Amino acid sequence: MSQLPKRPLTLRDVSEACGVSEMTVSRVLRKSGDVSATTRERVLAAAKELGYVPNQIAGSLASQRVNLVAVIIPSLSNMVFPEVLNGINAGLDDTPLQPVVGVTGYRPEKEEQVLYEMLSWRPSGVIIAGLEHSEATRAMLLNAGIPVVEIMDTDGNPVDAMVGISHRQAGRDMAREILREGYERIGFLGTKMPLDHRARKRFEGFTEALAKEGIEIEDRAFYSGGSALLKGREMTRDMLERSPDLDFLYFSNDMIGAGGLLHLLDEGIDVPGQIGLAGFNGVELLAGLPRQLATMDACRREIGEEAAKIILNASSSEPDADLPKTVIMNPTLSVGDTLRRKKRG
Amino acid sequence: MSQLPKRPLTLRDVSEACGVSEMTVSRVLRKSGDVSATTRERVLAAAKELGYVPNQIAGSLASQRVNLVAVIIPSLSNMVFPEVLNGINAGLDDTPLQPVVGVTGYRPEKEEQVLYEMLSWRPSGVIIAGLEHSEATRAMLLNAGIPVVEIMDTDGNPVDAMVGISHRQAGRDMAREILREGYERIGFLGTKMPLDHRARKRFEGFTEALAKEGIEIEDRAFYSGGSALLKGREMTRDMLERSPDLDFLYFSNDMIGAGGLLHLLDEGIDVPGQIGLAGFNGVELLAGLPRQLATMDACRREIGEEAAKIILNASSSEPDADLPKTVIMNPTLSVGDTLRRKKRG
DNA sequence: TTGAAAGCGCTAACAG
DNA sequence: CTGTTAGCGCTTTCAA
């Protein structure tokens, strides 16, 4: 830390400062090969003294190895994705690999562009949300020649590996639970997102399971943008005005579900006696509400960790060929205080 | 898209496929220099046909330019930071620059390590949360020879540029507002985070402004981990048990504030008549609560956008030297429904 | 245990 | 408008 360099320092600078060849300096800094303790100390001291930071660009070009993992997700505004990122971070901690995040805003063309940019850094692997991609995106994924893990959804065929839950199944399970409790006049409230395939699949699974019992959704509403909690309140109010006979509301996420719950409590409506409620995601927030919303855990953190493991394995020197390429997690349904209506034997 | 390459494609492959020199292919792909329309088309067609993705590693090494901006934040779990990231994303959209995010978990040594790794990619700039860093971190920042923007806090001296709000001032402003409304017996509830300097500074500003009026905080409580909303409920309950005379609760963030609000409403306590409440952040969530919590906007998105602008300017070919290196934003205080107690003239 | 040479894939700078 | 030459800063490989 003696001078402020206009030109970034290079190995050569360190080499000259300590009178050891560039090659040996490089070996010390990478802890590779055998270097005598004395020269190592000398090199380390010089590097620290100068404030040398290695140039990974040059290193990666020379070694043809890049310690980056591309992570591509639709959004950061929805807490779901930060939690997956935390899982990936945890899974990659204490390994040489580092996640690099790209955000698509749920737009396929943006996804394509983000992937292209990330691939141009020649990462060691790709973790990407969802199974639905444009043709070009799939082609890039296929041709990249690196491990690819598609996460969060397992209803479809992965390019390479996938880790997630079946949202169709999640929808079906919730529907069955609702019917089992005797609810029959059901409303659905969700996001207006044609490109949120996971929400769509939950909805499809949900209606499918209802249909099997001869039941149809009686009312539905979709929103986009704004405060989810507030939207939940408003939409619930509006829906119950339109369809006062409903005895259950299924929300596509916990945030609007919480809004609905708060509205009903304000109105003094008996939950779950008169109306039952369920959301999706198991967001931590819910713990503080006056009543526990029925919901289903999406295994977000675990998905991130598992995806990281797969990339790690695939890019290790001796990959375990037996490690499964498809991991389907089982979301747990928690009924909370807003779903049970009957006494049960 | 004809074959799946074991070895990633290079410029040379494209060059051979279309019979144009590597240099010209490179120019076409970078849209730099003049290339005849016909050759351009030929090159583009070949590149697409092969599925060529340029190698930025090599490109950056050769051009000595890297279109990456290092962004270093403490956490992704707190919605504050994703919102800042959204601002940065927005500010960098449609520019060649791309953010790369690193997370420190509020730990100085992790911050040091993350910064080191990011600098080893020779980014075009650094955006880093906070003004408090280890000696080594400051040294790296100083010697990196690239624009550095420290964000979210302006109570201190930046290495280079800073964008944010004064948390001390924010604390003072809230204290003054509370006193003006006639509250006098004040409790504080916050996070137990010795390394969250912004929360600490708000607290300091708050107590300082109270002290000026001869008032001291009567009770305080700190938490860590868990659902903030739930913690808010519990801590509020406990504090009012301990100190039933309190007439105001200041929360270090809106989430625990919302928990406190829900608790008080459950108990049928008059808010803001008997007890006033205020939080911090202006989280979108609040809009859906039964009552609007008094709070203060932290200008998260704007901070991100402004920081992006500074990096952009500094790394442009003709930087505007007049662009200020310090941007202090003014958080707006919204009193909501939980602060006003007096009728005012 | 250390060093020298070659080259990773691309682009700056210049020449044609 | 197009091509040639010479590296960018590091690591691989081979030799000492």
Side-chain angles (χ1 to χ4, degrees):
Chain A
M1 285 161 217
S2 33
Q3 55 188 347
L4 53 163
K6 186 75 230 162
R7 159 185 71 71
L9 296 166
T10 68
L11 262 189
R12 165 172 228 115
D13 294 309
V14 181
S15 164
E16 285 170 357
C18 63
V20 174
S21 79
E22 285 185 40
M23 197 51 237
T24 302
V25 173
S26 167
R27 283 202 265 262
V28 170
L29 265 22
R30 276 177 302 135
K31 310 178 212 312
S32 105
D34 289 323
V35 180
S36 75
T38 44
T39 40
R40 176 168 44 249
E41 311 253 303
R42 207 138 51 94
V43 169
L44 255 18
K48 184 162 192 188
E49 157 77 13
L50 295 174
Y52 172 70
V53 178
N55 185 333
Q56 295 239 39
I57 309 248
S60 297
L61 182 61
S63 67
Q64 304 281 71
R65 260 182 289 103
V66 181
N67 61 356
L68 260 25
V69 177
V71 179
I72 300 180
I73 55 176
S75 158
L76 281 171
S77 308
N78 186 334
M79 272 310 284
V80 170
F81 300 105
E83 286 184 43
V84 175
L85 292 186
N86 281 329
I88 295 175
N89 262 320
L92 258 29
D93 217 29
D94 297 319
T95 79
L97 293 183
Q98 253 196 334
V100 180
V101 179
V103 176
T104 70
Y106 287 98
R107 292 180 321 199
E109 72 280 9
K110 179 79 177 175
E111 179 180 71
E112 210 170 299
Q113 181 198 325
V114 167
L115 177 62
Y116 185 85
E117 303 235 292
M118 301 220 124
L119 288 183
S120 74
W121 287 100
R122 301 287 187 266
S124 294
V126 177
I127 297 176
I128 185 169
L131 293 162
E132 282 76 20
H133 313 290
S134 72
E135 264 313 306
T137 298
R138 279 187 70 89
M140 281 193 273
L141 253 14
L142 268 167
N143 295 339
I146 54 178
V148 173
V149 185
E150 289 166 277
I151 57 170
M152 313 200 64
D153 186 6
T154 58
D155 296 318
N157 298 313
V159 167
D160 177 13
M162 69 177 167
V163 178
I165 65 171
S166 163
H167 288 263
R168 280 222 176 76
Q169 188 61 44
R172 280 197 291 262
D173 288 349
M174 188 56 91
R176 275 202 286 264
E177 184 70 21
I178 291 167
L179 294 178
R180 185 178 313 134
E181 296 304 323
Y183 296 104
E184 298 188 306
R185 310 182 61 89
I186 298 166
F188 177 87
L189 300 90
T191 45
K192 188 190 304 168
M193 289 215 123
L195 296 172
D196 184 345
H197 300 283
R198 291 173 289 285
R200 194 201 73 224
K201 288 171 182 176
R202 285 198 299 279
F203 181 66
E204 287 171 4
F206 187 73
T207 53
E208 178 201 314
L210 293 185
K212 260 195 190 140
E213 305 296 324
I215 289 185
E216 261 191 24
I217 280 178
E218 301 215 357
D219 197 352
R220 65 189 72 183
F222 302 90
Y223 79 100
S224 62
S227 156
L229 204 64
L230 183 56
K231 286 286 178 186
R233 290 185 96 99
E234 297 172 349
M235 290 165 72
T236 301
R237 183 195 61 209
D238 295 349
M239 183 171 286
L240 290 179
E241 233 162 65
R242 269 201 312 273
S243 316
D245 291 344
L246 295 178
D247 66 2
F248 201 93
L249 301 177
Y250 181 45
F251 296 87
S252 79
N253 70 62
D254 282 347
M255 218 46 170
I256 57 170
L261 173 61
L262 290 176
H263 171 75
L264 295 178
L265 294 180
D266 276 5
E267 298 287 303
I269 293 174
D270 173 18
V271 176
Q274 184 178 344
I275 300 189
L277 302 175
F280 181 82
N281 254 337
V283 301
E284 196 191 48
L285 156 83
L286 295 185
L289 294 180
R291 203 88 47 102
Q292 292 303 102
L293 185 67
T295 190
M296 210 167 214
D297 169 35
C299 310
R300 300 169 300 270
R301 193 165 214 282
E302 296 84 342
I303 288 174
E305 287 176 354
E306 208 58 39
K309 267 192 216 155
I310 293 182
I311 297 287
L312 223 44
N313 176 61
S315 55
S316 86
S317 51
E318 31 179 80
D320 173 3
D322 294 340
L323 197 120
K325 291 221 154 195
T326 291
V327 180
I328 303 181
M329 312 231 165
N330 266 312
T332 52
L333 195 159
S334 52
V335 293
D337 310 318
T338 67
L339 179 46
R340 292 257 175 265
R341 183 158 70 163
K342 287 180 184 169
K343 310 282 181 290
R344 315 180 68 213
Chain B
M1 285 160 221
S2 33
Q3 55 189 349
L4 52 163
K6 184 77 233 162
R7 160 185 71 71
L9 296 165
T10 68
L11 260 189
R12 165 172 229 118
D13 295 308
V14 181
S15 165
E16 283 170 358
C18 64
V20 175
S21 80
E22 285 184 42
M23 197 53 233
T24 302
V25 173
S26 167
R27 282 201 267 258
V28 170
L29 265 21
R30 276 179 300 137
K31 309 177 211 313
S32 105
D34 289 322
V35 180
S36 76
T38 45
T39 39
R40 176 168 44 248
E41 311 253 302
R42 208 139 50 95
V43 169
L44 255 17
K48 185 164 192 184
E49 157 76 13
L50 295 174
Y52 171 70
V53 177
N55 185 333
Q56 295 237 41
I57 309 247
S60 297
L61 183 61
S63 67
Q64 304 282 66
R65 260 181 292 101
V66 182
N67 61 356
L68 261 25
V69 177
V71 179
I72 299 180
I73 56 176
S75 159
L76 281 170
S77 308
N78 187 333
M79 273 309 285
V80 169
F81 300 105
E83 285 184 45
V84 174
L85 292 185
N86 281 329
I88 295 175
N89 261 320
L92 256 29
D93 217 31
D94 298 320
T95 79
L97 294 183
Q98 255 194 333
V100 180
V101 179
V103 176
T104 70
Y106 286 98
R107 290 178 317 180
E109 72 280 9
K110 178 80 176 172
E111 180 180 72
E112 209 171 300
Q113 180 197 327
V114 167
L115 177 62
Y116 185 84
E117 303 236 291
M118 302 218 127
L119 288 183
S120 74
W121 288 100
R122 300 287 187 266
S124 294
V126 177
I127 297 176
I128 185 168
L131 292 163
E132 281 76 18
H133 313 290
S134 73
E135 264 312 305
T137 299
R138 278 187 70 89
M140 282 193 270
L141 253 15
L142 268 167
N143 295 339
I146 54 178
V148 174
V149 185
E150 290 167 276
I151 57 170
M152 313 200 62
D153 185 6
T154 58
D155 295 318
N157 297 314
V159 167
D160 177 13
M162 69 177 169
V163 179
I165 65 171
S166 163
H167 288 263
R168 281 225 174 75
Q169 189 61 45
R172 280 195 291 262
D173 287 349
M174 187 57 91
R176 275 201 286 264
E177 184 70 20
I178 291 166
L179 295 179
R180 186 177 314 132
E181 296 305 323
Y183 297 104
E184 298 187 308
R185 310 182 61 87
I186 298 167
F188 177 86
L189 301 90
T191 45
K192 188 191 303 168
M193 290 214 121
L195 296 171
D196 185 344
H197 299 284
R198 292 174 288 286
R200 192 201 74 221
K201 288 171 181 176
R202 284 199 299 281
F203 181 66
E204 288 170 2
F206 188 74
T207 52
E208 176 201 314
L210 292 185
K212 259 194 189 142
E213 304 297 323
I215 290 185
E216 261 192 25
I217 280 179
E218 301 217 354
D219 198 354
R220 64 189 73 186
F222 302 90
Y223 79 100
S224 63
S227 157
L229 203 64
L230 182 56
K231 287 286 178 186
R233 289 184 97 97
E234 297 172 349
M235 290 165 71
T236 301
R237 184 196 59 210
D238 296 348
M239 183 172 286
L240 290 179
E241 234 162 66
R242 268 202 311 272
S243 316
D245 290 343
L246 295 178
D247 66 1
F248 201 93
L249 301 177
Y250 181 44
F251 296 88
S252 79
N253 69 63
D254 281 348
M255 218 49 169
I256 56 170
L261 173 60
L262 289 176
H263 170 76
L264 295 179
L265 294 181
D266 276 5
E267 298 287 303
I269 292 173
D270 173 18
V271 176
Q274 184 178 344
I275 300 189
L277 302 174
F280 181 82
N281 255 339
V283 302
E284 198 191 45
L285 157 86
L286 295 185
L289 292 179
R291 201 90 45 102
Q292 293 304 103
L293 184 68
T295 189
M296 210 167 215
D297 170 35
C299 310
R300 301 170 298 272
R301 194 167 214 282
E302 296 83 344
I303 288 174
E305 287 175 354
E306 209 58 39
K309 265 191 217 157
I310 292 181
I311 297 287
L312 223 47
N313 176 62
S315 55
S316 86
S317 51
E318 32 178 83
D320 173 2
D322 293 341
L323 198 118
K325 292 223 154 193
T326 291
V327 180
I328 303 180
M329 311 231 166
N330 266 310
T332 53
L333 194 160
S334 51
V335 293
D337 310 319
T338 68
L339 179 48
R340 291 260 175 261
R341 183 158 69 160
K342 289 182 185 168
K343 310 281 179 292
R344 315 181 68 216

